[in-house]
Amino acid sequence: MNAKTETSDACDLRFGQVGIACVRVRRPDAAALCEELERRVRSAPQLFSRAAVVLDLSHLLDLPDDGTVDALLEAVRSAGMLPVGLAYGTSATEALAQRMGLPLIAKFRAAYEPIDGGSIAPPASAAAPAPRPAPVREPVLSQPEGTVGAQRHDGTVRSGQQIYARDRDLIVVGTVANAAEVIADGSIHVYGSLKGRAMAGAQGDTKARIFISDFRAELVAIAGHYRVFEQIPKDLEGQSVQCWLDGEKLLIATLK
């Protein structure tokens, strides 16, 4: 049995970089939101229980009032998750976040913000270093063999450990243990057993792929689209597989 990114009339839930979940609210119904998130927590408690959550209100026609947002935040808490901020949106969202005492998280900024000046931009880094000569990011991420400029980790990624390859692919020569995470902005190659979680395309690269020599994963995700496995399908368990996106659907197939 497996669960994947689903669209319901209550919300969409996507798993983002470094273990932060983004809850995109589709209607301001706190009871429905709590029920939906409780279902997700029950289906994968190791993944979602007490997970840090960013609340994205950008898909609502009108920004809810403070009382409604407070009820939505309480619904997230009641479901067993921990709200840590709001996703960037309009200036009204910024004012709402200030009133609610919550930070705005730039990573989950709405993709379709208005271009008429009504939206806010993420704050620039106060002491950003000067650009350094480096390979252009896009060619690195689109390399099919995923080896150019890749970050390599030799040995086991232990339970509770997290490896993150920023702006590049990640190669793991060893096992990724249960409750361990490997994350990359590009593709991920695991030359060993994947028992934990692998999240490729962490900054939204939909062309990223995941290659695994021995598939026993808890979760795989590409550009926020994920599949959670309580039980690996027999035709995939222990097999060499690759994972990729077809539109918004995450596909997994054995390597021939």
Side-chain angles (χ1 to χ4, degrees), residues 113-169:
E113 289 175 347
I115 58 176
D116 57 3
S119 62
I120 56 177
S125 174
R132 54 176 180 161
V136 179
R137 177 180 174 184
E138 285 301 323
V140 170
L141 295 182
S142 62
Q143 288 290 334
E145 66 273 14
T147 56
V148 179
Q151 175 177 322
R152 192 179 78 186
H153 177 86
D154 294 322
T156 299
V157 183
R158 299 181 303 276
S159 180
Q161 186 178 6
Q162 182 187 87
I163 304 295
Y164 173 40
R166 184 183 301 276
D167 295 331
R168 64 185 67 190
D169 295 353

Tab-separated table of all heavy atoms in Angstrom, residues 113-169:
chain	number	residue	atom	x	y	z
A	113	GLU	N	2.234	34.856	-7.929
A	113	GLU	CA	2.005	36.153	-7.300
A	113	GLU	C	1.733	37.220	-8.359
A	113	GLU	O	2.301	37.169	-9.458
A	113	GLU	CB	3.222	36.562	-6.480
A	113	GLU	CG	3.395	35.735	-5.217
A	113	GLU	CD	4.674	36.082	-4.484
A	113	GLU	OE1	5.521	36.763	-5.063
A	113	GLU	OE2	4.798	35.665	-3.343
A	114	PRO	N	0.885	38.192	-8.062
A	114	PRO	CA	0.574	39.231	-9.055
A	114	PRO	C	1.821	40.025	-9.427
A	114	PRO	O	2.722	40.205	-8.616
A	114	PRO	CB	-0.462	40.114	-8.338
A	114	PRO	CG	-0.303	39.806	-6.886
A	114	PRO	CD	0.149	38.376	-6.812
A	115	ILE	N	1.870	40.489	-10.671
A	115	ILE	CA	3.037	41.235	-11.138
A	115	ILE	C	2.771	42.738	-11.146
A	115	ILE	O	3.502	43.509	-11.749
A	115	ILE	CB	3.431	40.775	-12.551
A	115	ILE	CG1	2.260	40.951	-13.518
A	115	ILE	CG2	3.906	39.342	-12.535
A	115	ILE	CD1	2.610	40.610	-14.966
A	116	ASP	N	1.685	43.158	-10.469
A	116	ASP	CA	1.322	44.579	-10.475
A	116	ASP	C	1.840	45.301	-9.235
A	116	ASP	O	1.392	46.389	-8.911
A	116	ASP	CB	-0.208	44.719	-10.540
A	116	ASP	CG	-0.902	44.012	-9.394
A	116	ASP	OD1	-0.194	43.453	-8.517
A	116	ASP	OD2	-2.142	44.021	-9.364
A	117	GLY	N	2.778	44.692	-8.522
A	117	GLY	CA	3.330	45.338	-7.339
A	117	GLY	C	2.611	44.972	-6.072
A	117	GLY	O	2.974	45.436	-5.000
A	118	GLY	N	1.571	44.147	-6.171
A	118	GLY	CA	0.811	43.804	-4.984
A	118	GLY	C	1.445	42.735	-4.131
A	118	GLY	O	0.952	42.435	-3.062
A	119	SER	N	2.504	42.126	-4.606
A	119	SER	CA	3.143	41.069	-3.840
A	119	SER	C	4.453	41.561	-3.262
A	119	SER	O	4.968	42.612	-3.642
A	119	SER	CB	3.394	39.853	-4.737
A	119	SER	OG	4.259	40.195	-5.790
A	120	ILE	N	4.978	40.789	-2.334
A	120	ILE	CA	6.233	41.156	-1.704
A	120	ILE	C	7.302	40.174	-2.097
A	120	ILE	O	7.024	39.028	-2.393
A	120	ILE	CB	6.089	41.196	-0.165
A	120	ILE	CG1	5.570	39.850	0.351
A	120	ILE	CG2	5.184	42.310	0.274
A	120	ILE	CD1	5.480	39.781	1.848
A	121	ALA	N	8.525	40.631	-2.131
A	121	ALA	CA	9.651	39.777	-2.495
A	121	ALA	C	10.350	39.310	-1.242
A	121	ALA	O	10.332	39.987	-0.220
A	121	ALA	CB	10.623	40.554	-3.379
A	122	PRO	N	10.984	38.150	-1.285
A	122	PRO	CA	11.761	37.705	-0.136
A	122	PRO	C	12.865	38.689	0.164
A	122	PRO	O	13.441	39.286	-0.750
A	122	PRO	CB	12.347	36.359	-0.610
A	122	PRO	CG	11.491	35.944	-1.744
A	122	PRO	CD	11.009	37.198	-2.383
A	123	PRO	N	13.175	38.938	1.448
A	123	PRO	CA	14.229	39.888	1.775
A	123	PRO	C	15.569	39.405	1.267
A	123	PRO	O	15.889	38.229	1.337
A	123	PRO	CB	14.200	39.916	3.322
A	123	PRO	CG	13.570	38.618	3.701
A	123	PRO	CD	12.597	38.290	2.621
A	124	ALA	N	16.359	40.338	0.734
A	124	ALA	CA	17.693	39.996	0.252
A	124	ALA	C	18.607	39.713	1.418
A	124	ALA	O	18.464	40.280	2.505
A	124	ALA	CB	18.245	41.148	-0.586
A	125	SER	N	19.556	38.835	1.220
A	125	SER	CA	20.512	38.524	2.271
A	125	SER	C	21.343	39.748	2.573
A	125	SER	O	21.829	40.447	1.681
A	125	SER	CB	21.416	37.375	1.815
A	125	SER	OG	22.421	37.146	2.760
A	126	ALA	N	21.519	40.047	3.849
A	126	ALA	CA	22.213	41.263	4.251
A	126	ALA	C	23.676	41.217	3.886
A	126	ALA	O	24.298	42.244	3.650
A	126	ALA	CB	22.058	41.468	5.765
A	127	ALA	N	24.268	40.068	3.876
A	127	ALA	CA	25.700	39.977	3.604
A	127	ALA	C	25.954	38.865	2.593
A	127	ALA	O	26.712	37.945	2.838
A	127	ALA	CB	26.472	39.718	4.890
A	128	ALA	N	25.275	38.990	1.465
A	128	ALA	CA	25.415	37.943	0.460
A	128	ALA	C	26.800	37.990	-0.149
A	128	ALA	O	27.292	39.066	-0.512
A	128	ALA	CB	24.361	38.130	-0.635
A	129	PRO	N	27.499	36.887	-0.249
A	129	PRO	CA	28.829	36.887	-0.838
A	129	PRO	C	28.769	37.160	-2.330
A	129	PRO	O	27.759	36.915	-2.983
A	129	PRO	CB	29.327	35.459	-0.564
A	129	PRO	CG	28.090	34.650	-0.445
A	129	PRO	CD	27.072	35.562	0.182
A	130	ALA	N	29.865	37.696	-2.853
A	130	ALA	CA	29.935	37.967	-4.286
A	130	ALA	C	29.847	36.664	-5.064
A	130	ALA	O	30.330	35.628	-4.601
A	130	ALA	CB	31.251	38.678	-4.604
A	131	PRO	N	29.202	36.705	-6.235
A	131	PRO	CA	29.103	35.470	-7.025
A	131	PRO	C	30.484	34.901	-7.324
A	131	PRO	O	31.418	35.626	-7.611
A	131	PRO	CB	28.400	35.943	-8.309
A	131	PRO	CG	27.691	37.201	-7.927
A	131	PRO	CD	28.533	37.843	-6.882
A	132	ARG	N	30.613	33.602	-7.251
A	132	ARG	CA	31.892	32.958	-7.508
A	132	ARG	C	31.810	32.175	-8.801
A	132	ARG	O	30.765	31.667	-9.165
A	132	ARG	CB	32.250	32.009	-6.365
A	132	ARG	CG	31.172	31.009	-6.066
A	132	ARG	CD	31.602	30.047	-5.010
A	132	ARG	NE	30.538	29.093	-4.746
A	132	ARG	CZ	30.707	27.925	-4.154
A	132	ARG	NH1	31.906	27.560	-3.785
A	132	ARG	NH2	29.699	27.118	-3.931
A	133	PRO	N	32.914	32.086	-9.522
A	133	PRO	CA	32.902	31.290	-10.758
A	133	PRO	C	32.551	29.842	-10.428
A	133	PRO	O	33.121	29.234	-9.545
A	133	PRO	CB	34.343	31.413	-11.268
A	133	PRO	CG	34.886	32.636	-10.601
A	133	PRO	CD	34.215	32.712	-9.274
A	134	ALA	N	31.587	29.313	-11.158
A	134	ALA	CA	31.146	27.934	-10.918
A	134	ALA	C	30.391	27.456	-12.144
A	134	ALA	O	29.925	28.262	-12.939
A	134	ALA	CB	30.250	27.851	-9.685
A	135	PRO	N	30.250	26.147	-12.306
A	135	PRO	CA	29.444	25.648	-13.429
A	135	PRO	C	28.028	26.170	-13.326
A	135	PRO	O	27.478	26.305	-12.226
A	135	PRO	CB	29.479	24.120	-13.224
A	135	PRO	CG	30.700	23.878	-12.396
A	135	PRO	CD	30.844	25.073	-11.516
A	136	VAL	N	27.444	26.497	-14.468
A	136	VAL	CA	26.073	26.979	-14.483
A	136	VAL	C	25.167	25.912	-13.916
A	136	VAL	O	25.275	24.740	-14.243
A	136	VAL	CB	25.653	27.325	-15.928
A	136	VAL	CG1	24.206	27.804	-15.961
A	136	VAL	CG2	26.577	28.407	-16.480
A	137	ARG	N	24.202	26.325	-13.062
A	137	ARG	CA	23.408	25.356	-12.321
A	137	ARG	C	22.576	24.454	-13.223
A	137	ARG	O	22.538	23.250	-13.055
A	137	ARG	CB	22.502	26.101	-11.348
A	137	ARG	CG	21.588	25.158	-10.578
A	137	ARG	CD	20.699	25.913	-9.635
A	137	ARG	NE	19.751	25.011	-9.017
A	137	ARG	CZ	18.795	25.407	-8.199
A	137	ARG	NH1	18.675	26.660	-7.897
A	137	ARG	NH2	17.958	24.535	-7.668
A	138	GLU	N	21.894	25.032	-14.208
A	138	GLU	CA	20.953	24.228	-14.981
A	138	GLU	C	21.597	23.046	-15.708
A	138	GLU	O	21.095	21.943	-15.641
A	138	GLU	CB	20.201	25.124	-15.978
A	138	GLU	CG	19.135	25.994	-15.340
A	138	GLU	CD	18.095	25.162	-14.632
A	138	GLU	OE1	17.757	24.086	-15.146
A	138	GLU	OE2	17.623	25.569	-13.554
A	139	PRO	N	22.750	23.250	-16.381
A	139	PRO	CA	23.361	22.078	-17.005
A	139	PRO	C	23.730	20.991	-16.010
A	139	PRO	O	23.637	19.817	-16.303
A	139	PRO	CB	24.604	22.663	-17.685
A	139	PRO	CG	24.254	24.093	-17.950
A	139	PRO	CD	23.409	24.490	-16.778
A	140	VAL	N	24.148	21.392	-14.787
A	140	VAL	CA	24.496	20.392	-13.784
A	140	VAL	C	23.277	19.555	-13.424
A	140	VAL	O	23.330	18.340	-13.361
A	140	VAL	CB	25.071	21.073	-12.526
A	140	VAL	CG1	25.211	20.062	-11.401
A	140	VAL	CG2	26.419	21.713	-12.834
A	141	LEU	N	22.151	20.222	-13.242
A	141	LEU	CA	20.957	19.505	-12.817
A	141	LEU	C	20.361	18.660	-13.942
A	141	LEU	O	19.652	17.713	-13.671
A	141	LEU	CB	19.904	20.508	-12.320
A	141	LEU	CG	20.279	21.280	-11.069
A	141	LEU	CD1	19.134	22.180	-10.664
A	141	LEU	CD2	20.656	20.365	-9.927
A	142	SER	N	20.662	19.040	-15.191
A	142	SER	CA	20.037	18.308	-16.279
A	142	SER	C	20.922	17.204	-16.855
A	142	SER	O	20.536	16.552	-17.799
A	142	SER	CB	19.667	19.289	-17.409
A	142	SER	OG	20.830	19.909	-17.914
A	143	GLN	N	22.114	17.006	-16.300
A	143	GLN	CA	22.969	15.938	-16.780
A	143	GLN	C	22.311	14.588	-16.540
A	143	GLN	O	22.008	14.238	-15.413
A	143	GLN	CB	24.318	15.975	-16.057
A	143	GLN	CG	25.211	17.134	-16.474
A	143	GLN	CD	25.741	16.965	-17.875
A	143	GLN	OE1	25.860	15.842	-18.347
A	143	GLN	NE2	26.037	18.048	-18.536
A	144	PRO	N	22.048	13.802	-17.568
A	144	PRO	CA	21.322	12.544	-17.356
A	144	PRO	C	22.073	11.556	-16.497
A	144	PRO	O	21.483	10.797	-15.755
A	144	PRO	CB	21.128	12.009	-18.780
A	144	PRO	CG	22.181	12.696	-19.597
A	144	PRO	CD	22.364	14.047	-18.970
A	145	GLU	N	23.420	11.555	-16.571
A	145	GLU	CA	24.138	10.589	-15.766
A	145	GLU	C	24.327	11.065	-14.334
A	145	GLU	O	24.721	10.310	-13.460
A	145	GLU	CB	25.502	10.269	-16.396
A	145	GLU	CG	26.466	11.460	-16.417
A	145	GLU	CD	26.272	12.317	-17.651
A	145	GLU	OE1	25.240	12.160	-18.333
A	145	GLU	OE2	27.142	13.164	-17.948
A	146	GLY	N	24.038	12.342	-14.072
A	146	GLY	CA	24.035	12.860	-12.703
A	146	GLY	C	25.368	12.788	-12.007
A	146	GLY	O	25.409	12.669	-10.788
A	147	THR	N	26.506	12.891	-12.744
A	147	THR	CA	27.793	12.763	-12.087
A	147	THR	C	28.610	14.050	-12.129
A	147	THR	O	29.509	14.225	-11.336
A	147	THR	CB	28.618	11.636	-12.734
A	147	THR	OG1	28.746	11.894	-14.133
A	147	THR	CG2	27.937	10.295	-12.544
A	148	VAL	N	28.323	14.965	-13.051
A	148	VAL	CA	29.122	16.172	-13.182
A	148	VAL	C	28.828	17.113	-12.020
A	148	VAL	O	27.691	17.518	-11.813
A	148	VAL	CB	28.829	16.868	-14.531
A	148	VAL	CG1	29.650	18.146	-14.641
A	148	VAL	CG2	29.145	15.926	-15.678
A	149	GLY	N	29.856	17.454	-11.270
A	149	GLY	CA	29.683	18.362	-10.156
A	149	GLY	C	28.915	17.783	-8.991
A	149	GLY	O	28.451	18.517	-8.129
A	150	ALA	N	28.763	16.481	-8.950
A	150	ALA	CA	27.948	15.860	-7.904
A	150	ALA	C	28.689	15.818	-6.573
A	150	ALA	O	29.911	15.788	-6.514
A	150	ALA	CB	27.552	14.446	-8.318
A	151	GLN	N	27.927	15.814	-5.503
A	151	GLN	CA	28.458	15.603	-4.152
A	151	GLN	C	28.369	14.117	-3.831
A	151	GLN	O	27.344	13.493	-4.066
A	151	GLN	CB	27.644	16.413	-3.144
A	151	GLN	CG	28.036	16.185	-1.685
A	151	GLN	CD	27.230	17.069	-0.758
A	151	GLN	OE1	26.935	18.223	-1.073
A	151	GLN	NE2	26.841	16.539	0.376
A	152	ARG	N	29.452	13.556	-3.287
A	152	ARG	CA	29.473	12.119	-3.004
A	152	ARG	C	29.576	11.867	-1.508
A	152	ARG	O	30.310	12.552	-0.805
A	152	ARG	CB	30.654	11.442	-3.708
A	152	ARG	CG	30.562	9.921	-3.700
A	152	ARG	CD	31.729	9.302	-4.432
A	152	ARG	NE	32.942	9.316	-3.602
A	152	ARG	CZ	34.139	8.931	-4.031
A	152	ARG	NH1	34.294	8.529	-5.279
A	152	ARG	NH2	35.177	8.962	-3.230
A	153	HIS	N	28.817	10.891	-1.057
A	153	HIS	CA	28.898	10.443	0.340
A	153	HIS	C	29.214	8.953	0.336
A	153	HIS	O	28.464	8.155	-0.222
A	153	HIS	CB	27.580	10.696	1.077
A	153	HIS	CG	27.582	10.181	2.488
A	153	HIS	ND1	28.062	10.917	3.549
A	153	HIS	CD2	27.168	8.986	3.003
A	153	HIS	CE1	27.937	10.204	4.660
A	153	HIS	NE2	27.404	9.032	4.353
A	154	ASP	N	30.322	8.587	0.954
A	154	ASP	CA	30.726	7.182	1.044
A	154	ASP	C	30.318	6.612	2.392
A	154	ASP	O	30.591	7.213	3.437
A	154	ASP	CB	32.239	7.042	0.868
A	154	ASP	CG	32.695	7.428	-0.527
A	154	ASP	OD1	31.968	7.121	-1.486
A	154	ASP	OD2	33.764	8.050	-0.667
A	155	GLY	N	29.673	5.454	2.377
A	155	GLY	CA	29.292	4.791	3.616
A	155	GLY	C	27.829	4.993	3.951
A	155	GLY	O	27.072	5.650	3.227
A	156	THR	N	27.433	4.425	5.061
A	156	THR	CA	26.030	4.449	5.481
A	156	THR	C	25.602	5.838	5.942
A	156	THR	O	26.334	6.529	6.646
A	156	THR	CB	25.810	3.448	6.632
A	156	THR	OG1	26.115	2.134	6.170
A	156	THR	CG2	24.368	3.482	7.129
A	157	VAL	N	24.398	6.254	5.510
A	157	VAL	CA	23.740	7.429	6.088
A	157	VAL	C	22.891	6.901	7.233
A	157	VAL	O	21.910	6.189	7.022
A	157	VAL	CB	22.873	8.159	5.048
A	157	VAL	CG1	22.267	9.420	5.665
A	157	VAL	CG2	23.693	8.514	3.814
A	158	ARG	N	23.304	7.218	8.451
A	158	ARG	CA	22.708	6.593	9.633
A	158	ARG	C	21.314	7.131	9.944
A	158	ARG	O	20.943	8.226	9.525
A	158	ARG	CB	23.625	6.805	10.846
A	158	ARG	CG	25.014	6.195	10.684
A	158	ARG	CD	25.846	6.420	11.922
A	158	ARG	NE	25.961	7.829	12.258
A	158	ARG	CZ	26.855	8.645	11.711
A	158	ARG	NH1	27.697	8.199	10.796
A	158	ARG	NH2	26.909	9.909	12.066
A	159	SER	N	20.568	6.362	10.708
A	159	SER	CA	19.227	6.764	11.140
A	159	SER	C	19.290	8.115	11.841
A	159	SER	O	20.109	8.328	12.734
A	159	SER	CB	18.646	5.705	12.086
A	159	SER	OG	17.367	6.072	12.519
A	160	GLY	N	18.438	9.045	11.419
A	160	GLY	CA	18.422	10.383	11.980
A	160	GLY	C	19.377	11.349	11.310
A	160	GLY	O	19.307	12.556	11.548
A	161	GLN	N	20.253	10.851	10.445
A	161	GLN	CA	21.215	11.697	9.746
A	161	GLN	C	20.589	12.232	8.463
A	161	GLN	O	19.730	11.610	7.854
A	161	GLN	CB	22.482	10.904	9.422
A	161	GLN	CG	23.613	11.729	8.817
A	161	GLN	CD	24.853	10.888	8.565
A	161	GLN	OE1	24.844	9.671	8.729
A	161	GLN	NE2	25.938	11.530	8.150
A	162	GLN	N	21.044	13.428	8.052
A	162	GLN	CA	20.547	14.038	6.830
A	162	GLN	C	21.732	14.529	6.002
A	162	GLN	O	22.631	15.194	6.520
A	162	GLN	CB	19.634	15.221	7.154
A	162	GLN	CG	19.030	15.907	5.941
A	162	GLN	CD	18.272	17.169	6.323
A	162	GLN	OE1	18.845	18.242	6.407
A	162	GLN	NE2	16.973	17.038	6.565
A	163	ILE	N	21.739	14.191	4.717
A	163	ILE	CA	22.745	14.653	3.779
A	163	ILE	C	22.044	15.514	2.736
A	163	ILE	O	21.044	15.091	2.148
A	163	ILE	CB	23.460	13.477	3.073
A	163	ILE	CG1	24.066	12.516	4.094
A	163	ILE	CG2	24.524	14.004	2.112
A	163	ILE	CD1	25.175	13.102	4.925
A	164	TYR	N	22.561	16.731	2.505
A	164	TYR	CA	21.932	17.652	1.559
A	164	TYR	C	22.969	18.154	0.562
A	164	TYR	O	23.989	18.728	0.953
A	164	TYR	CB	21.294	18.824	2.307
A	164	TYR	CG	20.752	19.917	1.400
A	164	TYR	CD1	20.082	19.618	0.213
A	164	TYR	CD2	20.899	21.261	1.739
A	164	TYR	CE1	19.584	20.605	-0.604
A	164	TYR	CE2	20.394	22.263	0.930
A	164	TYR	CZ	19.744	21.938	-0.247
A	164	TYR	OH	19.258	22.926	-1.054
A	165	ALA	N	22.718	17.943	-0.722
A	165	ALA	CA	23.582	18.445	-1.791
A	165	ALA	C	22.929	19.680	-2.397
A	165	ALA	O	21.941	19.576	-3.130
A	165	ALA	CB	23.789	17.365	-2.847
A	166	ARG	N	23.463	20.838	-2.090
A	166	ARG	CA	22.902	22.100	-2.571
A	166	ARG	C	23.384	22.382	-4.000
A	166	ARG	O	24.574	22.289	-4.291
A	166	ARG	CB	23.315	23.242	-1.648
A	166	ARG	CG	22.693	24.594	-2.015
A	166	ARG	CD	23.209	25.685	-1.099
A	166	ARG	NE	22.912	25.427	0.295
A	166	ARG	CZ	21.758	25.742	0.881
A	166	ARG	NH1	20.798	26.329	0.174
A	166	ARG	NH2	21.559	25.484	2.157
A	167	ASP	N	22.458	22.709	-4.878
A	167	ASP	CA	22.763	23.107	-6.259
A	167	ASP	C	23.481	22.022	-7.063
A	167	ASP	O	24.195	22.336	-8.012
A	167	ASP	CB	23.608	24.386	-6.285
A	167	ASP	CG	22.860	25.582	-5.734
A	167	ASP	OD1	21.627	25.610	-5.838
A	167	ASP	OD2	23.518	26.489	-5.194
A	168	ARG	N	23.319	20.777	-6.694
A	168	ARG	CA	24.012	19.714	-7.416
A	168	ARG	C	23.330	18.377	-7.165
A	168	ARG	O	22.406	18.275	-6.370
A	168	ARG	CB	25.477	19.641	-6.988
A	168	ARG	CG	25.667	19.254	-5.526
A	168	ARG	CD	27.133	19.304	-5.125
A	168	ARG	NE	27.640	20.664	-5.145
A	168	ARG	CZ	28.924	20.975	-5.029
A	168	ARG	NH1	29.822	20.026	-4.904
A	168	ARG	NH2	29.305	22.240	-5.038
A	169	ASP	N	23.851	17.363	-7.853
A	169	ASP	CA	23.374	16.003	-7.642
A	169	ASP	C	24.051	15.405	-6.409
A	169	ASP	O	25.075	15.915	-5.934
A	169	ASP	CB	23.678	15.123	-8.852
A	169	ASP	CG	22.930	15.561	-10.107
A	169	ASP	OD1	22.078	16.456	-10.013
A	169	ASP	OD2	23.216	14.998	-11.177
